[in-house]
Amino acid sequence: MDPQTTLFQQHRSRLFGLAYRMLGTPSDAEDVLHDAWLRWHAQDIAALDDPEAWLVTVTTRLSLDRLRRAKTERAHYPGPWLPEPLIADAEQPEAQMERAESLTLTFLLLLERLSAEERAAFLLREVFDYSHAETAAMLDISEDACRQRVHRAKQRLREDRPRQAMPNIDTQRRLLERFMQALQQPDMPTLRALFAEDAMSVSDGGGLARATLHPLHGAERLARLYMQIALQQQRYGGVRHEIRQLNGTPALFGWHGDTLISTSWIDDDGERITAVHALRHPGKLARLAAVTKSTPPASLH
């Protein structure tokens, strides 16, 4: 590779990690990197004092533009929108970038509560460890404005953070195994006991697959919902379940034949499930399944 391409590749994982955390969708992150590469390719790198800062700045600003458009589109999305996981075999370089806890799907969903500007400032400062001065320069704002954005973002994330701020992988796997067994052998008391009293279920069907259009709350309602889903799956020839790892935490995959029909991940309080996030959007699942079919389940140990 020529020196310009080599330099871009050296920073690619960090740039992808930033764009993915900004946008919550691997394909959008790849599009941002493509646009950043085109601008980089047209740039005289010999004139740059800090090539990495230039690349991060361009990637951030491209991500901001795309995120502002995406937020407008998501306001009209049919039902809840959930982030799209990295492909299942991709505890690849992109999945190992920077701080792993900021890559979980629950954290990406939490970032949706922030404005685009707060999200960018928070990620650059708190996840990628740029100083307030460096972050302010990348965003073309004053250092005081940068500090205010980061402070507001941290305050909002603290207020909305799940009870288990750092998920325990072993606990989540055990709860998912019990959840999987309850779906395979449906039983109301068993399902009911899995959920915290104020548990929530969120489904993303994108208007293309059956999914609840609003979050459901309460252990009783969730138990009835998943009892109904389990019975329907049995009537239609059964669904094969397996636990795999997505974005660093366990997730439950549901297959009907060779078709991936759902992927779910959970939040918990250490004993019971506090939230189920179910991805049912056919397009998102198809991209995930393309690699998942040929990849053995990732070990969580």
Side-chain angles (χ1 to χ4, degrees):
M1 291 186 290
D2 64 89
Q4 196 162 12
T5 302
T6 299
L7 196 55
F8 185 87
Q9 290 299 326
Q10 287 175 358
H11 298 293
R12 189 185 191 284
S13 288
R14 170 164 280 225
L15 301 177
F16 180 91
L18 173 60
Y20 176 61
R21 287 174 174 88
M22 281 289 293
L23 300 166
T25 307
S27 57
D28 285 344
E30 290 289 359
D31 288 344
V32 163
L33 256 64
H34 176 71
D35 291 345
W37 159 249
L38 292 177
R39 297 188 183 201
W40 173 251
H41 192 65
Q43 177 68 31
D44 178 11
I45 63 173
L48 299 177
D49 294 330
D50 188 342
E52 178 189 329
W54 189 95
L55 284 166
V56 172
T57 299
V58 168
T59 300
T60 300
R61 294 181 184 180
L62 288 170
S63 297
L64 271 169
D65 290 342
R66 187 172 286 260
L67 181 58
R68 292 184 186 111
R69 294 196 301 271
K71 281 185 174 290
T72 300
E73 294 167 1
R74 290 170 194 172
H76 303 286
Y77 194 80
W81 179 92
L82 292 176
E84 188 173 338
L86 292 169
I87 54 178
D89 75 339
E91 305 306 339
Q92 38 175 267
E94 286 85 350
Q96 299 294 342
M97 313 155 295
E98 312 305 330
R99 293 164 52 182
E101 67 269 21
S102 70
L103 196 63
T104 66
L105 293 163
T106 292
F107 188 77
L108 291 178
L109 187 57
L110 201 58
L111 290 175
E112 287 293 307
R113 318 268 179 101
L114 305 179
S115 70
E117 293 75 15
E118 289 170 347
R119 189 166 179 165
F122 175 82
L123 288 172
L124 288 170
R125 176 69 191 101
E126 298 298 318
V127 175
F128 291 88
D129 294 323
Y130 292 105
S131 68
H132 285 291
E134 291 169 323
T135 299
M138 291 171 180
L139 297 175
D140 195 23
I141 58 176
S142 71
E143 193 169 338
D144 283 344
C146 176
R147 290 181 184 276
Q148 290 173 4
R149 288 183 185 178
V150 173
H151 175 74
R152 285 197 303 266
K154 290 168 71 174
Q155 190 172 37
R156 188 169 302 175
L157 293 177
R158 275 196 302 269
E159 293 169 354
D160 296 336
R161 208 172 183 89
R163 273 169 267 178
Q164 288 284 93
M166 282 296 295
N168 182 292
I169 302 303
D170 291 333
T171 299
Q172 289 198 336
R173 184 182 180 91
R174 284 194 298 270
L175 286 169
L176 277 176
E177 286 172 345
R178 290 171 56 195
F179 188 34
M180 178 173 65
Q181 291 165 4
L183 291 174
Q184 292 168 344
Q185 298 177 329
D187 175 74
M188 271 294 290
T190 302
L191 279 166
R192 176 68 175 74
L194 276 171
F195 299 114
E197 289 300 324
D198 59 349
M200 174 182 66
S201 176
V202 179
S203 300
D204 176 357
L208 303 171
R210 177 176 289 185
T212 54
L213 292 177
H214 303 282
L216 293 182
H217 298 268
E220 189 70 27
R221 295 184 73 188
L222 267 62
R224 289 200 301 268
L225 169 68
Y226 284 101
M227 184 74 181
Q228 182 182 14
I229 289 173
L231 293 174
Q232 287 176 343
Q233 290 178 348
Q234 287 186 346
R235 283 198 296 271
Y236 290 111
V239 171
R240 173 173 57 88
H241 293 98
E242 62 183 1
I243 296 175
R244 291 175 175 258
Q245 191 165 346
L246 285 181
N247 289 46
T249 55
L252 183 63
F253 283 55
W255 298 86
H256 185 252
D258 290 333
T259 302
L260 182 62
I261 62 171
S262 68
T263 298
S264 302
W265 63 94
I266 63 171
D267 300 331
D268 69 277
D269 61 8
E271 296 180 358
R272 293 180 295 176
I273 295 171
T274 58
V276 180
H277 307 281
L279 190 61
R280 303 184 187 278
H281 189 297
K284 295 180 181 182
L285 291 173
R287 290 187 286 272
L288 190 59
V291 170
T292 303
K293 287 179 183 178
S294 60
T295 307
S299 171
L300 299 184
H301 303 291

